Amino acid sequence: MLRYTLSRLLSLGISLAVASVVIFLAIEVLPGDPAAYMLGLNAQPDTLAALRDELGLNGSLWERYADWVGGMLRGDFGTSYTYRSSVSEMIGERLWVSLPLALYALTLSTVIAFPAGIWAAARRGKAADVTVMGVTQLGVAIPNFWFAMLMVLVFAINLRWFSAGGFPGWDKGFWLSLKALTLPAIALALPQASILARVMRSALLDTLSEDFIRTARAKGLTKGQALRRHALRNALIPVLTIIGMQFSFLLAGGIIIENVFFLPGLGRMIFQAISARDLIVVESVVMLLVFAVVLVNFMVELAYALVDPRLRARA
Amino acid sequence: MSTAVTERSLGAQMLRNRNLLIGGALTVVFAAAALISFLWVPYPVDGVDIANKIKPPSAAHPFGTDHFGRDILSMIMVGARTSIAVAIVAVGIGMLFGVPLGLWAAARKGTLLDEVIMRGNDLVFAFPSLLIAIMITAIFGPSAVNAIIAIGIFNIPVFARLTRSGALALWQRDFILAARVAGKGSARISFEHILPNVANLLIVQGTIQFSLGILAEAGLSYVGLGAQPPIPSWGRMLAESQTMISFAPHMALFPGLAILLTVLGLNLMGDGLRDMFDPKLRRGR
């Protein structure tokens, strides 16, 4: 297990190093001067010089990269040009919207997908199966931001059960905040739940055709018992993989959904930074999200190794 | 992998394949709408007709008009071009780079080259594609071309992985051994014998990536990072409709339905093609 962990850790480090170089160079290849780009056409020469200095643009390429990465490792993500405040603090505030949103959506997706997938597999070919497969086919094809708009129309504008957007803040009350995240979380969860339910179903059907299930049936278990006691556990590995992968979709998908509901999360922060040409913020937030995704994938891989000893041996 | 069916039974199979029929029909409708829009649209999409703005669906405007008085049906027809063009080129980029990389990795299985290609793929695959698309458009400016590049890059590992795994199985087969005995090099074998035999896999995956490309383009355009005005695009139509959804829901309804039905059609067609190419799979699932 130790060797496996170390080898995954090494690949985690390489991924992050490559990602940071790519993100850093992407900003570097920007034609012309980033400071001039950020300030626009009518910049005064002394403001430009001051910003260049502040951005550390006068150092060599290597020095600037080392500064950026070194700063992030110490938790210093630089200073936002437009807001004149620390990017780390801005991220800290926004994370309290984006992270709960992603977790809320992941929970919804799992809670919906598990029973739906199991139900469809248990009633294979029957009406239940056809219904689940049809609904999930739609769920995969629907653009989630459009679904979000339709929910706003029905539940916020017509029925007035929810507000159409915005976020009160956790200090204004837990349930109030959770309510504000409910429609966004449903919109985010719908396509993911559809994918997960389909994976759950096909993983179950795969294990249900294994010999050990026949053995279990032969020793007198009913179909339902065999499914619950033996098939479910073995179907969990592909399902876990998908759940891990979905986290990255939820983080990235959250970027668009936050814009539908005007939620003050990382996604809106990125878009505000893009329109304000605040590249420091864009660079740091993208790096942070990539870090989060790579880290989650790493943890999922470790989780498999704990579940499935064969994977440890392969490393 | 090769489908040993005669012409007649293939046709009969396609008729019995409900996914393929429905999916194919939906896809044809939208492809036709895009093509027809080059020759004819009910109303011009670049004109402003304020007298007719925000009209609900009627006989003259079956899908209604938008806040500039433009006909929504015409906008959707022209917008189909954008979606289809972006998705086709993005899938093309993925195949153009991904397939040779996958063939190459499989031909050099177990070597450092294979390892580098596969780890590189894992790396690209691990990043949320939307995030990198946002990064690219943030730096180089929002445009349909940058959206294509961003979506295309993420298709590369998809096709590389698929091609490699398909090719690896084929390299064990006798007919490849025969080709080697005949003195063919691995590059020639890859293109002459392996590629035609993984084509089915690639077509099925291509259909699915196509639909994902349409969704991605719609998402990017919705947040203003895709096709720019005056090019009509479904995603931007939705973005423009958002503030008016309470009194003009038709402006949001029809472009969204267009995206949903196109993506649904492509997904069904992908499933149908997979069933047709590989009936084993259908029984297994």
Side-chain angles (χ1 to χ4, degrees):
Chain A
M1 190 63 198
L2 183 68
R3 231 187 105 198
Y4 180 78
T5 310
L6 286 177
S7 89
R8 296 327 302 165
L9 209 55
L10 182 72
S11 115
L12 172 85
I14 294 174
S15 301
L16 288 178
V18 174
S20 68
V21 170
V22 170
I23 293 171
F24 178 75
L25 286 181
I27 301 278
E28 287 295 324
V29 296
L30 194 75
D33 182 349
Y37 176 80
M38 285 168 66
L39 288 174
L41 287 173
N42 303 317
Q44 301 295 320
D46 50 334
T47 348
L48 203 62
L51 180 63
R52 285 187 62 86
D53 200 48
E54 196 183 315
L55 294 176
L57 289 178
N58 299 318
S60 72
L61 195 68
W62 171 245
E63 276 170 8
R64 271 174 283 152
Y65 176 72
D67 263 4
W68 180 57
V69 172
M72 282 194 298
L73 289 177
R74 291 192 308 272
D76 173 12
F77 286 81
T79 307
S80 156
Y81 175 70
T82 24
Y83 294 95
R84 290 271 150 214
S85 58
S86 145
V87 177
S88 321
E89 274 173 30
M90 289 168 68
I91 290 176
E93 287 165 20
R94 304 297 184 105
L95 211 56
W96 282 104
V97 177
S98 295
L99 203 60
L101 176 61
L103 291 176
Y104 193 174
L106 194 66
T107 312
L108 282 180
S109 155
T110 314
V111 168
I112 298 167
F114 269 58
I118 295 169
W119 193 40
R123 303 253 188 291
R124 186 182 177 194
K126 308 252 174 65
D129 189 18
V130 175
T131 310
V132 169
M133 292 304 276
V135 171
T136 53
Q137 187 71 265
L138 277 176
V140 175
I142 206 165
N144 60 7
F145 56 90
W146 182 60
F147 184 64
M149 287 166 64
L150 295 183
M151 283 198 299
V152 167
L153 181 64
V154 175
F155 297 109
I157 297 176
N158 289 335
L159 295 173
R160 297 182 184 275
W161 290 354
F162 294 90
S163 68
F167 185 71
W170 294 106
D171 51 341
K172 298 277 189 303
F174 175 79
W175 293 109
L176 207 61
S177 303
L178 201 67
K179 199 179 158 195
L181 292 182
T182 299
L183 290 185
I186 294 173
L188 266 177
L190 176 78
Q192 306 304 335
S194 304
I195 297 171
L196 199 61
R198 293 175 87 92
V199 172
M200 185 81 211
R201 172 185 176 272
S202 71
L204 270 178
L205 289 182
D206 282 347
T207 42
L208 279 177
S209 62
E210 297 271 356
D211 290 342
F212 64 80
I213 297 295
R214 199 182 318 144
T215 311
R217 292 295 302 280
K219 82 178 187 199
L221 292 188
T222 65
K223 206 176 158 194
Q225 285 171 326
L227 190 138
R228 275 193 302 277
R229 290 191 204 162
H230 299 281
L232 202 53
R233 215 171 286 186
N234 283 284
L236 276 181
I237 289 181
V239 172
L240 263 181
T241 320
I242 300 295
I243 292 180
M245 276 168 64
Q246 290 196 336
F247 186 74
S248 69
F249 287 112
L250 289 173
L251 271 180
I255 295 175
I256 288 183
I257 292 296
E258 280 174 14
N259 277 278
V260 180
F261 291 95
F262 307 102
L263 294 175
L266 289 175
R268 271 196 76 71
M269 185 173 163
I270 286 192
F271 281 104
Q272 284 159 351
I274 288 175
S275 45
R277 303 182 159 198
D278 199 340
L279 291 179
I280 304 169
V281 172
V282 178
E283 195 180 40
S284 300
V285 175
V286 169
M287 188 63 220
L288 183 80
L289 290 181
V290 167
F291 173 72
V293 169
V294 175
L295 192 71
V296 169
N297 288 344
F298 167 76
M299 292 191 299
V300 170
E301 277 178 350
L302 284 194
Y304 298 155
L306 285 175
V307 179
D308 189 345
R310 283 169 303 184
L311 286 172
R312 264 175 272 166
R314 215 182 289 163
Chain B
M1 201 58 57
S2 60
T3 41
V5 283
T6 62
E7 202 85 7
R8 212 180 65 201
S9 74
L10 185 72
Q13 253 185 335
M14 285 171 77
L15 279 178
R16 263 188 291 118
N17 190 330
R18 212 186 315 151
N19 282 345
L20 190 65
L21 276 181
I22 300 174
L26 283 172
T27 308
V28 166
V29 166
F30 281 97
L35 288 176
I36 292 170
S37 77
F38 282 104
L39 302 170
W40 173 82
V41 282
Y43 295 89
V45 293
D46 44 9
V48 175
D49 180 5
I50 294 300
N52 261 324
K53 70 172 187 178
I54 317 188
K55 286 266 159 39
S58 62
H61 300 277
F63 293 174
T65 61
D66 73 356
H67 53 306
F68 290 125
R70 293 174 295 188
D71 177 53
I72 290 179
L73 174 62
S74 311
M75 297 272 291
I76 287 177
M77 286 173 70
V78 180
R81 285 185 219 165
T82 316
S83 288
I84 291 175
V86 169
I88 281 190
V89 181
V91 171
I93 292 175
M95 283 196 177
L96 192 69
F97 292 94
V99 172
L101 278 175
L103 287 174
W104 201 20
R108 299 269 179 281
K109 189 197 169 212
T111 63
L112 184 67
L113 180 93
D114 181 26
E115 191 68 16
V116 169
I117 292 177
M118 291 323 286
R119 289 293 83 77
N121 277 327
D122 288 349
L123 202 66
V124 179
F125 212 69
F127 294 172
S129 51
L130 186 69
L131 208 56
I132 308 298
I134 284 168
M135 180 97 184
I136 290 178
T137 46
I139 294 163
F140 299 103
S143 74
V145 175
N146 288 336
I148 289 174
I149 296 172
I151 301 167
I153 289 176
F154 288 91
N155 281 331
I156 297 175
V158 173
F159 286 105
R161 280 180 174 190
L162 182 73
T163 308
R164 179 177 176 273
S165 68
L168 281 180
L170 289 167
W171 273 101
Q172 313 294 327
R173 302 269 292 269
D174 289 342
F175 72 99
I176 298 296
L177 189 65
R180 281 169 110 164
V181 172
K184 291 189 181 176
S186 59
R188 216 175 135 194
I189 292 178
S190 289
F191 282 96
E192 283 180 12
H193 300 289
I194 307 271
L195 187 57
N197 283 296
V198 293
N200 286 351
L201 287 176
L202 295 177
I203 291 170
V204 172
Q205 193 64 39
T207 320
I208 290 163
Q209 295 308 117
F210 195 115
S211 79
L212 290 176
I214 286 183
L215 273 180
E217 193 276 334
L220 286 175
S221 292
Y222 171 76
V223 289
L225 299 180
Q228 295 299 298
I231 305 172
S233 115
W234 294 344
R236 212 184 48 254
M237 289 171 76
L238 286 177
E240 287 169 356
S241 75
Q242 195 175 352
T243 51
M244 290 168 255
I245 195 164
S246 58
F247 56 90
H250 68 275
M251 276 178 64
L253 193 64
F254 293 107
L257 273 179
I259 302 172
L260 170 64
L261 291 176
T262 310
V263 173
L264 184 68
L266 286 163
N267 286 344
L268 288 175
M269 196 166 82
D271 285 356
L273 285 173
R274 189 174 45 210
D275 288 349
M276 196 176 77
F277 289 145
D278 195 353
K280 267 202 312 272
L281 222 60
R282 180 176 36 186
R283 279 201 300 275
R285 308 257 139 188

